[in-house]
Amino acid sequence: MELRQFGVTALYVMPVVFGAWQVGGPPFFSFMEEKDAVRLIEGCYDLGVNFFDTAPVYGFGRSEEYVGKALHNVRTKAIISTKCGLQWKDETFNSVYKHASKESVLKEAEQSLRRLNTDYIDLYLVHWPDESTPIEETLEAFYELQRSGKIRFYGFSNFSLKQLEEAQLKGAIISGVQSQYSMLNTKLEKGGELQYCISNEIGVQAYSPLHRGILTDKTVEAMRDSGQLAIDWILNALTDRQIEQVQKIREIASSYDAPFSSFVINWTISQLGITTAIVGTTKIENMKAAIEATKFNISEEDIQAVRQTIFA
């Protein structure tokens, strides 16, 4: 399985990343037993996955704890990204708020290191932009954490082009960007962020490449009954044009001996500038299908046919 250099960092990663959002459970997903979550993460590592993405807000610390327990014995071989800048007053979705002050980031880093059972974080990201805190203050925390060896590289998640440019103007050396990107959501391209990352040799983690399950072999009815929180609004928000696009893409994918989800992930990591695709799941079978996406090639003709369908 070929590894990719993550931007200009010293990180060499598999193009499929395990996303630990779902294993954190409430308030976003159904509760998952610790032993099952740890076994799943260990199983993904055994399959060859070496990059694991988490965040404090995923299950209010549970996700980080599960990742830490699963990877403790292989820590030097596993790459972990986690985040900062979101806090909560109690364990409910509505109590979550943005806060990326220097004091807060330093405190959050210590909490994440404890939960992850490690003394360093490979990639540390601001989870969402905090417009109330000057970016240079957040950067001061990153510099201090780097000097002390507690983080190796840093970056930003869900930042606009303007926000990335401002961070760079204030002296940020951005190693990684994480953003939503899929066949049904190409704002990363349209907004200019992807080209910015290409021009500045920044690694890009694309999350939700399967668009919350829309771009899989599941039927709409199965997705509605799956218990995935926040899925209905996505399904209901699909336009007739998008439904037509998915059907055309399925026709293109049908000539490949692979699950549709594998085709989608393969296409995603084939796009210029996309370093990795984050796959969140609670089932090892889904990660196996994602890994299969790295084992075949989509013709350049079909890659462009999908792009023409999306951007038509």
Side-chain angles (χ1 to χ4, degrees):
M1 209 174 302
E2 185 176 348
L3 300 180
R4 297 179 171 183
Q5 186 174 7
F6 192 77
V8 292
T9 71
L11 304 177
Y12 286 83
V13 300
M14 181 181 168
V16 175
V17 178
F18 177 81
W21 182 22
Q22 292 188 35
V23 300
F28 305 104
F29 297 95
S30 300
F31 180 76
M32 188 173 188
E33 293 286 348
E34 178 182 306
K35 64 179 185 346
D36 296 327
V38 170
R39 187 182 304 119
L40 171 68
I41 298 166
E42 289 174 337
C44 290
Y45 176 82
D46 290 341
L47 288 173
V49 177
N50 76 332
F51 201 178
F52 298 81
D53 177 75
T54 184
V57 77
Y58 299 164
F60 302 114
R62 284 187 296 272
S63 175
E64 285 189 322
E65 289 176 356
Y66 297 163
V67 169
K69 289 183 179 181
L71 300 178
H72 180 65
N73 291 332
V74 294
R75 180 64 188 94
T76 58
K77 298 178 181 178
I79 295 167
I80 297 175
S81 65
T82 193
K83 307 174 186 74
C84 61
L86 286 185
Q87 295 194 15
W88 55 90
K89 296 177 181 177
D90 55 60
E91 292 191 7
T92 61
F93 176 77
N94 290 333
S95 76
V96 177
Y97 62 97
K98 301 173 183 177
H99 189 53
S101 69
K102 178 180 179 180
E103 180 183 7
S104 179
V105 170
L106 292 175
K107 181 179 179 180
E108 286 186 69
E110 294 296 338
Q111 293 171 335
S112 289
L113 288 166
R114 175 181 52 79
R115 286 190 290 254
L116 289 165
N117 195 20
T118 185
D119 54 8
Y120 69 95
I121 295 163
D122 296 289
L123 179 64
Y124 202 41
L125 306 169
V126 177
H127 204 151
W128 284 89
D130 172 19
E131 293 85 354
S132 64
T133 300
I135 191 64
E136 51 264 45
E137 182 178 340
T138 305
L139 290 173
E140 286 180 15
F142 283 166
Y143 301 152
E144 188 169 321
L145 290 167
Q146 275 190 319
R147 285 194 298 269
S148 63
K150 293 177 179 178
I151 66 172
R152 298 178 66 191
F153 304 100
Y154 64 82
F156 304 99
S157 175
N158 300 301
F159 271 50
S160 68
L161 174 61
K162 181 178 179 181
Q163 290 165 333
L164 291 172
E165 290 175 333
E166 180 186 3
Q168 188 181 47
L169 186 64
K170 298 295 184 179
I173 300 175
I174 306 170
S175 294
V177 163
Q178 186 177 126
S179 186
Q180 187 171 6
Y181 181 81
S182 75
M183 292 174 173
L184 294 177
N185 185 344
T186 56
K187 292 179 181 178
L188 185 66
E189 283 195 63
K190 295 175 180 177
E193 294 89 353
L194 185 59
Q195 184 56 53
Y196 168 86
C197 290
I198 293 170
S199 299
N200 291 277
E201 298 185 88
I202 296 169
V204 177
Q205 295 174 291
Y207 73 83
S208 295
L210 299 176
H211 207 74
R212 299 287 199 278
I214 299 293
L215 298 170
T216 68
D217 294 312
K218 293 180 182 178
T219 64
V220 170
E221 292 74 17
M223 283 185 282
R224 290 193 191 281
D225 296 337
S226 67
Q228 292 180 0
L229 303 186
I231 194 73
D232 277 344
W233 73 264
I234 295 174
L235 293 170
N236 293 331
L238 284 178
T239 64
D240 289 341
R241 179 172 175 272
Q242 286 177 315
I243 292 171
E244 280 183 24
Q245 288 174 325
V246 173
Q247 184 54 43
K248 288 181 180 179
I249 295 168
R250 287 186 183 276
E251 291 172 4
I252 296 169
S254 65
S255 62
Y256 293 84
D257 185 21
F260 183 56
S261 60
S262 296
F263 177 88
V264 171
I265 292 170
N266 187 309
W267 181 90
T268 303
I269 60 178
S270 297
Q271 301 311 295
L272 181 64
I274 300 296
T275 315
T276 63
I278 299 176
V279 178
T281 184
T282 58
K283 297 179 180 179
I284 194 70
E285 293 77 14
N286 293 340
M287 186 53 70
K288 288 178 180 177
I291 291 172
E292 286 301 311
T294 68
K295 298 180 179 179
F296 68 96
N297 295 318
I298 301 176
S299 71
E300 184 60 29
E301 180 182 3
D302 286 339
I303 288 175
Q304 295 306 319
V306 171
R307 290 187 62 84
Q308 288 169 9
T309 299
I310 294 169
F311 293 103

